[in-house]
Amino acid sequence: MQNIKKQFPIFSRPEAGSRYGGTNHPNMIYLDSAATTQTPSVVIDAMNDYYTKTRSNVHRGIYDLSEQATAAYEAARASIAKFLNAEREEIIFTSGTTHGLNLLAYSLTPKLSHRDNVVLTRLEHHANLVPWQQMAKHYGFTIRYIELTPEDELDLASAEKVIDANTKIVSFALVSNVLGTVAQAKKISEFAHARRALTIVDAAQAVAHLPIDVENLDCDFLVFSGHKLYGPTGIGVLYSKKALLEESLEPFFFGGDMIKSVSYTDATWAELPERFEAGTQNISGVIGLGAAVEWLASLGWDKIVAHEREMMAYALDKLKNEVTIIGPAIGHIHRVGVIAFTIPSIHPHDIAEILNQDNICIRVGFHCAEPLHRHLGAGPTARASFGVYTTKEDIDKLVKGIEKVKKIFA
Amino acid sequence: MSGTLYHEALLEIYKHPLNKQVPSDFSIQHKEINSTCGDEVEIFIKLENDRVATIGWQGSGCAISQASASLTTDAVKGKTAAVIKTLTPESVLHLLGLPKLNPTRLRCALLALEALKKAL
Ligand SMILES: Cc1ncc(COP(=O)(O)O)c(C=O)c1O
């Protein structure tokens, strides 16, 4: 991952007279990739190509330009399918993880009743909690939570216990955006399928850091956002097993492009996956996301994982004497992407503000996981998160910044 | 701008807050929460002849929000509700010895003032 920052224009030297006011940030220490990653030029170029060379609507024009745009759009879908080890028809574009989870919560729960339950976990992001809570109010099902082990990993014994014959859906984050722990997804899917429940994997925090193989995970659905794996904002993916798209899931949005035939009284649906993509889609977003997954795969998963493990181990080692780390800080537990932490008697907001003075970007607050923080007995926390471009130098600067914070508040 | 944010006097007030207790006798109570960062300030007031006779507060949060609660509550002692309602954001920043803040931090600085205005 040497010199990879060079592929990211945001880290380049400022160009003279930027047209839109902003500037580039060669000295920025960006440690907020869990909130959103930066964008490599290949992704920007792919989107730029669409806007400058093939801009037209897809699946609609007979003319060459539209054919080219459609080809680029569908090539991106094929790349993403390959990236997940899925089939082309199983990839549905959304605006992001939140969209995907809401779509599933709305679509899968109307048949549930007060006898049924949906199983989540203690560590879910609000996006995988609030939609289910709201649907529970409508349909009366209960929500159960898989507990954490003392090391803050998902407790499989608890999973086995809470998933029962009345469980219809099990939805969980593959990687926690606060603890960085990785769910044993295959095991959880096994418990769920033994009870004939559907499984949903929220891969938002996993997809940039671990290779994803939907067949191996054996999940029924998987959702993620493009902007967390070096792709554009406003685009995401809902993967669904083909049989479920054909038999269990009804279209959620209705309109253009998702129909086969329409009369004044009714309509029939288009084939998969178009049936689930009503209206003009985020075409440049799809093309950019396709470029992002191609680019990420070209770096090589072995190298990405090795680099990020090295950075994580280095950061945990440097930080463990400086701050209180939330979640597992011991070597044998695989922690991915994020380190949330606190410093006794210094508010996280003040930590971030002082780090900001030295051009260090971290996130503070509840990271959209307020119940988890309360469950852990924690207030708001500070969070540093990593990407392929994170270096030991970045981490050293973070540690220096933290020393400065402590000095100011001493 | 933020270079002068954590100046000595502000840190001193943060570490040694003023009026940070629940008064034994109060008639008005109001809590404000800053949902973006979880800062909390709860204000307790006893009015006499429409003037603040006793004031105290409880809370947790960043240095800016907590120092502001100390200084804002101190500044309104003996003032009438009508006068307190006319207090401006600028006057609170002046109390804190702070320059202009970005919108996120401004919310921290003004949390106590907001609690106070809603209480009255
Ligand atoms: C675990 C997890 N789930 C869901 C989301 C929501 O993603 P988005 O805001 O892109 O919809 C996030 C992003 O913060 C996340 O970390």
Side-chain angles (χ1 to χ4, degrees), chain A residues 64-77:
Chain A
D64 288 352
L65 197 68
S66 175
E67 294 287 353
Q68 285 160 7
T70 306
Y73 184 85
E74 290 304 329
R77 194 194 307 273

Side-chain angles (χ1 to χ4, degrees), chain A residues 34-35 95-99 101 124-125 127-128 173 175-177 202 204-205 225 227-228 363 367-368 383:
Chain A
S95 69
T97 310
T98 303
H99 177 178
L101 289 168
E124 296 312 309
H125 186 280
N128 193 30
V175 170
S176 159
N177 69 325
D202 171 357
Q205 288 302 338
S225 305
H227 71 96
K228 301 217 197 254
R363 179 161 175 197
H367 321 299
C368 300
R383 182 184 75 182

